[in-house]
Amino acid sequence: MPYRSPLLDVPGSIPPPDDHPEAGVPWHWGDPFAEQRTASRGVVVIDRSHREFIAVTGEERLSWLHLVISQHVTGLAEGSGTEALVLDSQGRIDTHMVLAHLDGTVYLDTDPGPTATSALPKGGDQTLREYLEAMKFWSKVDIRDATGELALLTVLGPDAERVLSAVGAEVGPEPYAVAALPGGGFARRMPWPGRSSVDLAVPRAALAEWWKRLTDAGARAAGSWVFDALRVESVRPRLGVDTDERTIPHEVGWVGAAAHVAKGCYRGQETVAKVHNVGRPPRNLLLLHLDGSPEVTPETGDPVLLDGRTVGRIGTVIQHHELGPIALALVKRSTPVGAELLAGSEDNLVQAAIDPDSVPSELPAPGRAAAAQLRG
C-alpha cells in the first residue's frame, strides 16, 4: 500500500495531486504562499515522513560504507552527517541519501523507493537495501530497514532555534551536525533549503505527538510545496524529478557535497574524477524564471528550447511566493545565459530566462591546469 501520513487526517491538511512526487504527506495547509513567507521570516514545520531510512551498524560500518557510496566516510565522526550517492558503473546517479552517524549507527535516509543498479553482470534495478546487502560480502556490518522506526520532520526558518530549544531538540551550528532527541531519534542540521533548516528524525509512532509539540511551540504547519519552493530557490535537485537516466553528479552540484573526487574504490568514481580533472559536465542544473502571464506552466520532463532546438530538460516547476513561477532545468553548458528560451510543449509553452546567479562558476579543470604548467 502507498504510504499515507497520519497528518493527512489533521484538519486543514491538503494532499498533493495524484502522482505527485511528494505523495503521502501534506502538500499545504490552506495557504502555501503564506506558509512560504513564514518559512522565510519565521518558522514552519514540514511533514516529510514519506522518506525511507536504512540503518547500518557493526564495527566495519564506516570502512564498508566508504567502499559502496560516493562520499568519504571513513572518518565520519559520531554526531555528524553528510550527503552521498550510489552511482552506476558509468557514473550516473542511482540514489541520493543523507547520512547521520549516532550511537554506533549510520542512518541513511532517502526519497521514497530508492533503487540501485545491480553489480551483477545482468544488471537491472534493485532496491537500495538489496544492493547494499549484495555488496556486504564478509564485512562486519548489519543492515536493516529503519523506515518503520523513524519519520522525518523538517523545521525551517530564522526562528527555528527558538522552537527547537522549546522542544529539547537543540543541535550544533555546523552543517550536518547530529544530536540525539529526547525519547529517541535525532536532529540533523542541514545547509539547505532556506537560511535555517533542521531535520528531526523522530520515532514514527510519535510523529503526531512531535508535530503537536512543534506547532504548540510556535512552528506554523507547512506542506511539501514550501520545501520544494525553497529547494528550487536554493537550486537543490530532487532525484528523479530534476535528474534523468543520464545525470552525473557534476551536472547537479553534488560533487563535493555528495561525491568525493579523490577517494577511489567506489563504483562510478572514474567518471567523477575524469570530469572533475579534465572535462566539463555536458549540462548544468539552473534556475529558470518562467513567464507568469499565460495560465499554463511547463511540466517535469518537458524540453527547454532555444531557436527551436532542445537545449534542456525541465525538472521541478513551482510557484514561489516572491519569484513567481520558477523551475529547475538541466541545460546544456553552451546555452548563453541571456538567451531567450521557451519551456514546455505545444499546449503549455512559456518564455523562460536563466537566473544568472544560478550558473555555476567554472574554475580551470585541475588536470588541464597541471598539463598546461608542464607544457610551460
Side-chain angles (χ1 to χ4, degrees):
M1 290 289 291
Y3 175 74
R4 187 179 189 280
S5 170
L7 299 181
L8 283 170
D9 295 325
V10 176
S13 67
I14 307 297
D18 292 342
D19 300 323
H20 193 278
E22 311 306 334
V25 294
W27 192 33
H28 63 84
W29 293 76
D31 194 339
F33 297 124
E35 293 165 28
Q36 288 182 47
R37 289 191 290 271
T38 303
S40 298
R41 303 166 191 170
V43 56
V44 302
V45 57
I46 300 169
D47 178 8
R48 301 175 65 215
S49 60
H50 57 334
R51 285 181 67 82
E52 299 183 13
F53 283 84
I54 291 175
V56 181
T57 58
E59 61 184 87
E60 294 180 352
R61 62 190 178 279
L62 293 181
S63 59
W64 173 76
L65 275 170
H66 189 76
L67 298 176
V68 297
I69 63 177
S70 63
Q71 191 58 281
H72 198 300
V73 294
T74 53
L76 187 67
E78 291 257 359
S80 66
T82 187
E83 297 179 55
L85 308 170
V86 173
L87 306 176
D88 71 8
S89 59
Q90 304 301 311
R92 297 169 295 207
I93 301 166
D94 276 345
T95 293
H96 172 262
M97 63 198 81
V98 189
L99 278 60
H101 189 195
L102 188 69
D103 296 335
T105 301
V106 180
Y107 295 95
L108 321 174
D109 62 279
T110 71
D111 288 316
T115 63
T117 306
S118 172
L120 297 176
K122 66 178 181 180
D125 284 343
Q126 299 175 293
T127 67
L128 177 60
R129 186 183 176 191
E130 288 171 341
Y131 172 75
L132 295 176
E133 289 283 359
M135 299 299 291
K136 187 166 68 172
F137 301 109
W138 298 278
S139 299
K140 296 177 181 178
V141 296
D142 290 302
I143 304 163
R144 73 176 189 273
D145 184 348
T147 305
E149 303 170 25
L150 297 171
L152 198 71
L153 299 171
T154 295
V155 179
L156 280 174
D159 289 342
E161 302 308 315
R162 173 181 56 81
V163 168
L164 293 170
S165 179
V167 299
E170 294 173 300
V171 63
E174 60 277 5
Y176 306 107
V178 175
L181 290 175
F186 59 85
R188 177 183 59 213
R189 189 172 299 278
M190 293 295 294
W192 59 274
R195 289 178 286 172
S196 180
S197 176
V198 174
D199 288 339
L200 302 181
V202 304
R204 188 165 289 275
L207 173 63
E209 177 187 341
W210 268 97
W211 181 266
K212 186 176 188 304
R213 290 174 64 189
L214 290 162
T215 54
D216 286 350
R220 179 174 185 158
S224 63
W225 186 329
V226 172
F227 188 90
D228 280 340
L230 297 184
R231 177 179 60 78
V232 171
E233 182 185 11
S234 301
V235 196
R236 297 283 184 160
R238 204 299 197 170
L239 188 73
V241 179
D242 303 302
T243 64
D244 58 19
E245 69 283 352
R246 298 182 291 118
T247 306
I248 60 175
H250 315 70
E251 295 179 312
V252 293
W254 274 338
V255 168
H260 200 276
V261 297
K263 85 173 185 101
C265 301
Y266 68 91
R267 189 172 66 175
Q269 183 268 342
E270 182 178 354
T271 297
V272 172
K274 184 176 181 179
V275 175
H276 175 75
N277 286 305
V278 298
R280 299 290 186 198
R283 303 173 294 178
N284 287 319
L285 186 71
L286 303 177
L287 175 64
L288 299 186
H289 295 273
L290 306 176
D291 182 3
S293 54
E295 295 185 359
V296 294
T297 56
E299 297 179 356
T300 298
D302 279 348
V304 178
L305 304 170
L306 173 61
D307 298 331
R309 296 180 294 107
T310 297
V311 295
R313 173 196 179 276
I314 291 290
T316 305
V317 181
I318 201 83
Q319 290 283 344
H320 189 279
H321 73 107
E322 288 182 336
L323 302 177
I326 55 176
L328 292 179
L330 280 168
V331 180
K332 289 183 178 179
R333 284 183 55 254
S334 58
T335 305
V337 175
E340 295 182 0
L341 304 174
L342 293 173
S345 58
E346 292 182 2
D347 295 332
N348 57 351
L349 199 63
V350 300
Q351 292 181 315
I354 296 170
D355 187 317
D357 292 336
S358 71
V359 179
S361 57
E362 287 197 353
L363 300 174
R368 290 182 175 180
Q373 287 181 341
L374 289 174
R375 289 194 297 267

